[in-house]
Amino acid sequence: MSNTKTILVTGGAGFIGGNFVLRQVRRGDTLVVNLDALTYAGNLDSLDSIEDNPNHAFVLGSIGDRALVDYLLERYEPSAIVNFAAESHVDRSIDSPEAFIQTNLLGTFQLLEATRKYWRRLSGKARDNFRFLHVSTDEVYGTLGATGKFTEENPYRPNSPYSASKAGSDHLVRAYFHTYGLPVLTTNCSNNYGPYQFPEKLIPLMIHNGLKGKPLPVYGNGANVRDWLYVEDHCRAIERVLAAGTPGEVYNIGGNNEKTNLEVVHTLCDLLDELRPDSPYRPHRKLIQFVADRPGHDLRYAIDASKIQKDLGWEPEETFETGLQKTVQWYLSNQTWCQRVMDGSYRGERLGLEQSGAG
Ligand SMILES: NC(=O)c1ccc[n+]([C@@H]2O[C@H](COP(=O)([O-])OP(=O)(O)OC[C@H]3O[C@@H](n4cnc5c(N)ncnc54)[C@H](O)[C@@H]3O)[C@@H](O)[C@H]2O)c1
């Protein structure tokens, strides 16, 4: 095999994990062991292009399956673990929080325990260079008023079962550094968008519905503010933290692109008008419908990403405009991928997707 290192990626059939896995496998020097439970959010269609690539080993299973994780660590001896696996949709956490506790909290705990046992047995360079990178969210910090940004020093104030379960996992990761010396890194990132995002999230849902002339549901008055980052920029940031981050440190990642949900939807409608000039649904803004707000909906998130910029030299490459243009083009060119998600055929079942969550 041509690869020179092996990493274990969890949740690599999901949106961000999938983009990350594609990048690593295409580089050609890394064997990626991809452990994913294939929940509704896991989609092997996204990994079609690397299906037969010898640098990708897909394993169906859960991060909470201790025996399986022990076996994978023993067999593949990875030099790093990148933990994307999670239940990630706020609306689903409000309806059914249990799966969020199971995977985000207990699953991460099992993964940390297996990693601790594995890392303890390593020696020399393998032990010194090993890293456990935990991918988390800005939602753990709670909500902001009209001003200010989240720094790494902000206290945790999670407001949804999703963010509470992620906050709990972040605390466990931190404790494994302070208690056991496990070389962990944590990243807290703002809202991502880009190719392969499941169409229950705001941007792909609006594109999908806009193309079909369906209503574009916007929570409340659309004034909630999120900071948006193109998924490839997030993947580059994770690569940077993995390569040069200091164990035990937390890095906030953001795009400096604060937008209200309504601004995002307006921009998407205008892009669809431009890219689909013959659409009978122009102007797409006509399709916007305001719907009852999400309970406990955080008003504003904004990330101060100056630490990762200063310490590791990372900056986003895409602006919101260039990233969104690429994203809409991707969905227009990959309608089969979207259709197979919407009709459930990507996993052999039908799903009801009506939410408009933006994290
Ligand atoms: N999407 C965002 O905007 C965003 C922003 C910041 C941080 N994050 C974090 O990044 C990570 C990835 O987010 P995403 O949007 O790609 O999520 P996603 O929901 O698209 O993907 C999650 C993946 O994890 C898998 N999974 C779920 N439970 C599992 C388990 N027990 N064992 C193994 N695999 C399991 C799913 O099958 C899926 O492939 C999450 O930890 C999330 O909290 C997401």
Side-chain angles (χ1 to χ4, degrees):
M1 215 168 279
S2 62
N3 46 69
T4 54
K5 63 174 178 176
T6 299
I7 61 173
L8 173 64
V9 174
T10 73
F15 164 47
I16 306 172
N19 277 283
F20 184 81
V21 166
L22 290 173
R23 283 174 67 89
Q24 307 316 307
V25 171
R26 284 177 186 150
R27 271 208 331 228
D29 62 351
T30 305
L31 171 63
V32 179
V33 181
N34 181 357
L35 173 64
D36 195 297
L38 292 185
T39 68
Y40 79 94
N43 186 348
L44 287 179
D45 285 4
S46 308
L47 303 171
D48 264 356
S49 62
I50 54 166
E51 195 181 14
D52 300 320
N53 193 310
N55 287 335
H56 181 224
F58 182 80
V59 180
L60 174 62
S62 170
I63 56 169
D65 182 341
R66 180 63 196 279
L68 175 63
V69 178
D70 281 345
Y71 164 77
L72 292 175
L73 294 177
E74 196 153 310
R75 170 164 176 202
Y76 289 104
E77 300 182 331
S79 59
I81 298 175
V82 185
N83 183 29
F84 292 96
E87 290 291 339
S88 73
H89 191 42
V90 176
D91 292 325
R92 287 179 189 259
S93 83
I94 295 169
D95 292 343
S96 318
E98 192 168 341
F100 289 72
I101 303 303
Q102 284 300 341
T103 286
N104 300 0
L105 198 51
L106 298 176
T108 302
F109 165 68
Q110 293 295 351
L111 186 63
L112 281 166
E113 273 295 276
T115 306
R116 179 165 77 93
K117 188 176 117 194
Y118 165 70
W119 175 72
R120 230 177 18 207
R121 284 202 316 267
L122 298 176
S123 58
K125 271 196 157 150
R127 186 182 166 95
D128 294 345
N129 294 340
F130 180 81
R131 297 288 182 269
F132 180 100
L133 192 152
H134 180 60
V135 180
S136 193
T137 165
D138 59 356
E139 303 196 25
V140 296
Y141 297 122
T143 187
L144 288 166
T147 57
K149 291 186 176 202
F150 297 129
T151 72
E152 290 80 359
E153 306 307 319
N154 264 78
Y156 274 29
R157 292 202 175 96
N159 290 324
S160 72
Y162 163 64
S163 53
S165 65
K166 290 296 289 187
S169 67
D170 292 10
H171 288 321
L172 281 173
V173 169
R174 176 190 159 89
Y176 272 64
F177 174 75
H178 286 279
T179 306
Y180 305 112
L182 189 71
V184 303
L185 300 152
T186 301
T187 56
N188 293 90
C189 187
S190 59
N191 274 34
N192 282 218
Y193 66 97
Y196 302 111
Q197 188 169 27
F198 199 74
E200 65 185 345
K201 303 277 170 87
L202 182 74
I203 288 179
L205 181 75
M206 296 299 143
I207 299 171
H208 176 83
N209 283 10
L211 288 173
K212 298 254 179 310
K214 290 186 181 168
L216 305 180
V218 174
Y219 278 135
N221 59 5
N224 301 70
V225 175
R226 299 292 180 262
D227 169 47
W228 292 93
L229 182 70
Y230 189 62
V231 64
E232 290 277 334
D233 278 328
H234 187 187
C235 292
R236 287 178 39 253
I238 291 170
E239 288 163 9
R240 212 41 221 130
V241 173
L242 206 49
T246 304
E249 290 291 314
V250 172
Y251 297 91
N252 280 358
I253 305 171
N256 259 327
N257 285 311
E258 276 186 59
K259 305 280 172 201
T260 66
N261 287 346
L262 193 56
E263 279 174 321
V264 172
V265 177
H266 278 162
T267 311
L268 282 171
C269 288
D270 299 347
L271 270 171
L272 286 177
D273 288 351
E274 184 189 318
L275 296 169
R276 282 288 152 102
D278 301 328
S279 165
Y281 310 117
R282 291 177 78 226
H284 288 85
R285 288 187 186 208
K286 263 191 338 212
L287 299 171
I288 294 173
Q289 273 182 18
F290 294 96
V291 299
D293 207 354
R294 167 195 280 168
H297 203 175
D298 287 337
L299 177 66
R300 176 172 168 260
Y301 306 139
I303 278 278
D304 176 344
S306 52
K307 176 176 170 181
I308 186 172
Q309 184 180 355
K310 192 159 100 348
D311 292 2
L312 305 182
W314 173 88
E315 272 185 332
E317 285 179 0
E318 301 294 340
T319 63
F320 188 62
E321 288 66 32
T322 58
L324 210 55
Q325 176 98 21
K326 282 189 179 176
T327 304
V328 175
Q329 291 281 17
W330 186 88
Y331 281 95
L332 292 178
S333 315
N334 289 274
Q335 281 295 294
T336 311
W337 183 92
C338 300
Q339 202 42 53
R340 281 175 52 78
V341 174
M342 297 313 280
D343 68 17
S345 51
Y346 78 107
R347 68 195 307 252
E349 68 184 66
R350 197 162 276 280
L351 298 166
L353 297 173
E354 280 149 21
Q355 300 294 338
S356 60

